[in-house]
Amino acid sequence: MSGSKQRESVFPTRMALTNTKQRLKGAQTGHSLLAKKRDALTLRFRDILKKVDEAKRKMGRVMQLASFSLAEVTYAAGDISYLVQESVKTATFKVKARQENVSGVTLPAFDVDRVPGSDFNLTGLGRGGQQVLKAKEVYAKAVETLVELASLQTAFTTLDEVIRATNRRVNAIEHVIIPRLENTVAFILSELDEMDREEFFRLKKVQGKKKRDAEAADKVKALLEASSADTVTSVDTEMEGTTDLLATKDEDVIF
């Protein structure tokens, strides 16, 4: 029946049928759970994709403003990069990593921790102070946007890999494992039905042979009884036909 289809090599027994049905039920449950997980990850993936697109557009605008602000600072105060490098003692921005759990998948996320104050407040005091402060705020916004974009892009890449793996598992269970187990169950059922039919046919043959043997034994017994009855009747007849020599009296013989 299902010998030409893909199935597992099992011996067709009731225990194998029970185990295969349990495995089939587990595969169907796992397929349902993985499908729900895939749907949840896909929903979060689309949300992150939308945020990534918005963050990239925002990043482009912010970097454009930052470039203009740096050009204004260079025009007003000249090159202040060496002054900034000499004034900076500690980092103003710190990036903290954390983790988010989405349907059992751990997604990395980054947050910006901005330290209040600045080490180069006196930069541009002679000229271009307003442009320096503006450039400072614009670049701070650019760094925050860059960290946000990095967090979204990392989560996007991680989710993409997990969704691909989950899709492969769902497809494998749906198109390989479940059909193979269903074919195995069908094969075991067909073999068990065939064995039941063979056993029923064997029992009928045994019962028919026993019945024929019983009838033959009854016939032999009847023949034996009939033959014994005929023998007894013939013996009685012979006994009646014989003459008692002692009861008869012979005639005298004269010499």
Side-chain angles (χ1 to χ4, degrees):
M1 176 180 173
S2 58
S4 61
K5 297 181 181 179
Q6 189 178 12
R7 60 174 178 82
E8 294 185 352
S9 299
V10 295
F11 191 75
T13 60
R14 301 288 179 183
M15 182 61 68
L17 178 62
T18 303
N19 293 335
T20 307
K21 284 185 176 180
Q22 290 178 354
R23 292 177 57 193
L24 177 60
K25 184 178 180 181
Q28 291 173 347
T29 304
H31 176 268
S32 176
L33 293 176
L34 283 177
K36 292 180 180 179
K37 177 181 178 180
R38 177 191 59 187
D39 295 340
L41 292 177
T42 305
L43 184 63
R44 183 61 182 273
F45 180 79
R46 292 175 180 173
D47 184 45
I48 291 178
L49 181 61
K50 183 179 179 181
K51 291 182 179 179
V52 167
D53 182 66
E54 294 176 354
K56 285 184 177 181
R57 296 178 184 276
K58 180 180 178 181
M59 189 69 195
R61 294 191 299 267
V62 171
M63 290 304 298
Q64 184 180 7
L65 292 176
S67 298
F68 281 121
S69 299
L70 182 60
E72 291 177 356
V73 171
T74 303
Y75 177 78
D79 186 10
I80 63 171
S81 59
Y82 65 94
L83 295 176
V84 174
Q85 293 174 4
E86 290 179 357
S87 301
V88 172
K89 299 296 187 296
T90 58
T92 305
F93 287 90
K94 294 181 180 180
V95 179
K96 294 183 178 180
R98 57 185 176 85
Q99 293 180 345
E100 295 181 356
N101 193 340
V102 180
S103 298
V105 179
T106 302
L107 298 179
F110 307 107
D111 294 327
V112 176
D113 185 13
R114 184 175 181 181
V115 179
S118 177
D119 293 330
F120 52 96
N121 289 326
L122 300 180
T123 303
L125 185 61
R127 55 178 182 172
Q130 184 178 2
Q131 286 78 9
V132 171
L133 291 177
K134 181 180 178 182
K136 173 185 171 184
E137 294 299 327
V138 172
Y139 270 96
K141 186 67 175 177
V143 171
E144 293 177 356
T145 306
L146 183 62
V147 172
E148 179 185 0
L149 179 60
S151 178
L152 292 173
Q153 192 71 34
T154 305
F156 175 83
T157 305
T158 305
L159 271 181
D160 183 51
E161 295 177 356
V162 173
I163 289 175
R164 289 177 184 270
T166 306
N167 283 332
R168 286 195 295 269
R169 292 177 182 176
V170 171
N171 292 332
I173 293 175
E174 182 178 358
H175 300 290
V176 178
I177 296 178
I178 290 180
R180 180 185 299 173
L181 292 176
E182 289 177 347
N183 292 335
T184 304
V185 171
F187 166 73
I188 295 175
L189 287 175
S190 64
E191 291 297 321
L192 290 178
D193 291 341
E194 184 67 23
M195 291 170 63
D196 290 339
R197 286 192 293 270
E198 291 177 357
E199 183 67 17
F200 179 73
F201 181 75
R202 187 183 66 83
L203 290 176
K204 285 186 66 176
K205 284 290 185 181
V206 170
Q207 290 178 355
K209 188 175 184 303
K210 288 182 177 180
K211 186 177 180 181
R212 289 193 300 270
D213 292 344
E215 291 176 354
D218 292 340
K219 290 180 179 179
V220 170
K221 184 178 179 181
L223 290 175
L224 290 176
E225 290 178 355
S227 62
S228 62
D230 293 340
T231 304
V232 172
T233 304
S234 62
V235 169
D236 291 341
T237 304
E238 290 177 358
M239 289 295 293
E240 293 176 355
T242 58
T243 304
D244 191 1
L245 296 178
L246 296 177
T248 59
K249 185 177 181 180
D250 297 334
E251 297 180 358
D252 292 337
V253 179
I254 301 175
F255 295 97

